[in-house]
Amino acid sequence: MSCKYTLRFAPDSLGDYKDFIVVETQAEGPFVVPIEAWRPPPILTLDCGYCLIGGVKFVEFLCQNVGLSTGTFCIIPKDEWPASNFRSLAKTYFSEQPPFAVSPSLFVLEPGEATVVEVVFFPTTAEKSCQVFTVVCDNCQVKDISIEEGQLIALELVSVSGGEEPPVVGEVHDLTAEHFIRFSPCNPHSVQQKKLVIRNNHLELPFHWQIMKPNLHPLLPRESPDASHIQFHLATDEVFHVSPSTGILAPCQDQEYLLIFCPKELKDYHSVCHLVLRDITSVIIMEIEVKGSTEPYQILLEPYAIVIPGEIFICTPTSRQFKMWNHSKTFICFQWERINSSCHVIEVEPSSGRIENECFDFSLTVTGGKAENIVTSLVCHIQHHHEPVTLAVEVSFKGPTVTLNVPSIDFGPIRPREQTQTTLLLTNTTQLEASWILEPSRGLLPPLASCNVDVLFKPHSCQLFETELELTVENGTGHLSVRADVQSSHVCLLNCTLSFPELYVGASATGTVTLFNQTLLPSQFSWLQGKQASLCSATFDPSSGTLGPKVSMEITVTFTAHTDELTEVAAVCEVQGMNSPLVVGIVAKPKKLSVSYSVPGVPNGQSPSTPVLEFGDGVILKSAVSKQLLITNQTAIPAPFTVEAEYFLHSLQAKKAEEKAHEFVSSLLAHGKGAAFFVTPHTGTLGAFESRAVDVTAYTDMWGEYTDHLICKVGDLKPVLIPIHMTVKGCPLYFQMTGPRAQDQNQGPIIDIRLDWETYNVDQNDGKLLDFVVVFGDAFPLKDADGNEEDERGEEEETCLYPSLGKKKLISVHIRPHMGNLSDYPFCITPQQIVIPAKSSRAIHVSFTPLTLSGAARKSRCVGLALGFMNLDSELAACVPGKVGRAQGLDLEPVRVDLLAAVQTALLVQAEEDDGVLEFCASAGDLLMANSNNEIVVREFDITQSFQLKNTSEMPLHFSLGTQPPFSV
């Protein structure tokens, strides 16, 4: 349930009201309802500005009632409020509170209505002023406003284009000027400008500029100027101007001014620019002192006079260039006068114009009317210059001229009784007719016309002919020189001998001789063969030709000697018109072919006259070793060469790319000599002074010390034998048990090899280091099948190919490292002597007889070795005198086979049993058994168990087993 009440508000004034209503209910206490009521008040807005000290300023601002009701407003000083009736306070139109006054002091404004309120500011002191006025409305609304402030003028000269320049020491300047600006010297009637920037820091200032005369009075240091010396007089020269000259300085902004200096006369100028406020009487807010000076124009002609050398033709314009330099501060304007008389015309182009601070090019043109010498001056007027500039001119004119197309006639070299002719061209280069005389001819040439005159010459003898022909022309004469050289042919050799210090038989050598034509006539020449043409040959390039006047020509001579027995050789050159030919002597001593041999890497001082290809003492069997032989042609004679081994020859020439390496080596060694030397390249051509490296590669399949010669044949020279030496080490035998070797090395040796085997036991505690072996006779004699030595001395001596090798040593002593103890137990090789046929194989047997172990020993280790001493039963295989020798027996490192064996006791192992115990399980009930009468009787029974024995050794074992009752096996 609710209820609604209506409240009415009827105020009797324009104030604000607050009250409350107390509502009592059945509740314990009443509750209060606040009540507020008011009338929308009028709102007054004011906007105040700034004022100047020392003047009166009127400021108007708009006051508007933006409220919803009419209001009456009164403006009074704050100290006069409050009052009972504010209408009584408005006694006058102005409400004054110095230094301010406001009007009107009382006014009424309807809603939305506005009025103008005027504030008058008249400050008297340079300080901050502030007064408070109260604005009262008839609704009892009060508002205080304050008006402030008086300010000093604050101006600042921010910048000057070109900067300010302080007066120099001792220079007279204005007594009160704050700034000093100096203009650079300039010429009269020129204009200079400087841009000034002045900043107004506070107020808007109306201004104008005044150009005044300076107050000049000398002062002592720190002396203040006297007020009586300061006077204000306007400047009368009117050379300084400021733009703009009047206006308003906006507050807090920079204003640009243009200071202009425009002098009229040659003198110094001095003034002071005053910046004056307009609203305040004669208030100068800034003084700027300005100075400027002038200097005369600086004008220079280059050259200052024009003298045209020689003579120029009349009626022919002639020009000369000259320059005018303007060294003045500003541009100049010029005007040239023109000389135009009845005979001559002298003028300058361009005749008028303007020149900046630079150089200007002019062209002086003179045209003569008669033949005479002219000396005059040409005048140039310069604007604002006190006197003109003059150019001195001197020129000479002459009349018509006839010219020749050549300055002289030169018939050049000519032979006697020959006739030659030339034509002269006479030309009139002027606009006048010209009469000419060239004895015995004469004529008349129209203006700018030409004519031809023929001159003939025929000499009778050799001489240097020189004369002059006189050409006579109106207003002058001319001379034409004539020259001729009457000669006959004459050619010489600049070198009469041609030497070939390095000449080789059959090889061409080149040299040069020089022909020189001593005359001015061309000469024909050709070369002929001289003496001994059959023993040598020579060609000439060119072999014939024409030699020009005073020209030298190199002739290339290619000379080839066919024998070394040349004595005198000469080449003959015939020249047309000469009585005797030219002869060139050829000096040469031909050399024969010469070749040298060397081994790269061997110094020349250590290399003998005949080098040796030493492959070394440690060449490994089956390995290829290469050496180089350098063949040098010491002459210019190219020659073919061949290189091949003397004894260890082969039939192959080069290795084919598709051929396998081992097949290639097998082919090289197919002759069975144990070694082969492969030469690349084995043939070719040795060029002139060429060094050719020849690679010699040694291939071997048998041990031994090899010696041979390389047969080197070059051209027609005698063959040269180059010694070759090589010692090959290694064994050609291989054991099949190690598996097949690469390159089919299991094919066996190339010759029969006899192996004599010895077995040794190795004792680790053996302290012996050396074995001293003494042998009587052959250390390993040949044995029969039963092991007995064969006696073949007589037969060997009868069939020995090389008797010196058939002699055997009676006693030989060998010292070698201790190998072990010689024994055939427990290791033994059978047969102890075996022959391995060439290209084949044989089997040997190695047996081991185990030792008997003692009771405590469970295992024994046996270490031994077998040495196979290689012997050659064929004398040809053992030695070829001068070519190959092979050590054997004790002199050769034997074939070694290391032997190792282990002996241990036999052992049977019981397999698949737990802990090695055979366990039987039985019960007492197994002893009782019922018979046929159902009686219980005791019986025997068996329990059987089985086990397995395993032999882990590598040999069969015999064993026996035994037990004790009640067990049985």
Side-chain angles (χ1 to χ4, degrees), residues 796-797 800 802-810 875:
E796 288 180 358
E797 292 178 358
C800 182
Y802 312 108
S804 60
L805 299 176
K807 298 177 182 179
K808 298 186 178 180
K809 298 178 183 180
L810 296 178
E875 293 183 11

Side-chain angles (χ1 to χ4, degrees), residues 593-597 631-635 637-643 684-687 711-720:
L593 179 65
S594 177
V595 177
S596 64
Y597 301 89
I631 306 176
T632 302
N633 187 355
Q634 297 177 338
T635 67
I637 306 173
F641 71 90
T642 58
V643 181
T685 300
L686 196 60
I711 303 175
C712 302
K713 183 173 178 57
V714 180
D716 297 332
L717 297 178
K718 293 181 179 180
V720 176

Side-chain angles (χ1 to χ4, degrees), residues 789-866:
E789 296 184 9
E790 296 181 356
D791 187 8
E792 298 181 355
R793 277 185 305 175
E795 183 180 354
E796 288 180 358
E797 292 178 358
E798 293 176 358
T799 60
C800 182
L801 296 175
Y802 312 108
S804 60
L805 299 176
K807 298 177 182 179
K808 298 186 178 180
K809 298 178 183 180
L810 296 178
I811 300 176
S812 58
V813 179
H814 301 270
I815 299 177
R816 65 182 184 182
H818 180 63
M819 300 294 181
N821 299 320
L822 182 62
S823 174
D824 57 358
Y825 178 81
F827 297 103
C828 182
I829 293 181
T830 56
Q832 291 185 348
Q833 188 178 82
I834 187 173
V835 177
I836 311 298
K839 301 295 182 180
S840 184
S841 61
R842 288 291 184 269
I844 61 172
H845 301 277
V846 181
S847 62
F848 172 70
T849 303
L851 303 175
T852 302
L853 298 177
S854 61
R858 303 291 296 176
K859 184 177 183 181
S860 176
R861 180 182 177 90
C862 298
V863 179
L865 58 90

Side-chain angles (χ1 to χ4, degrees), residues 120-134:
V120 182
F121 181 34
F122 44 92
T124 58
T125 59
E127 62 182 3
K128 181 177 181 179
S129 301
C130 180
Q131 297 295 340
V132 179
F133 288 83
T134 301

Side-chain angles (χ1 to χ4, degrees), residues 5 45 121 135 157 161 422 489 495 517 546 567 585 649 674 688 695 879:
Y5 294 90
T45 60
F121 181 34
V135 180
L157 180 60
S161 59
T422 187
S489 299
N495 50 331
N517 188 357
T546 301
T567 55
L649 294 172
D695 293 328
C879 177

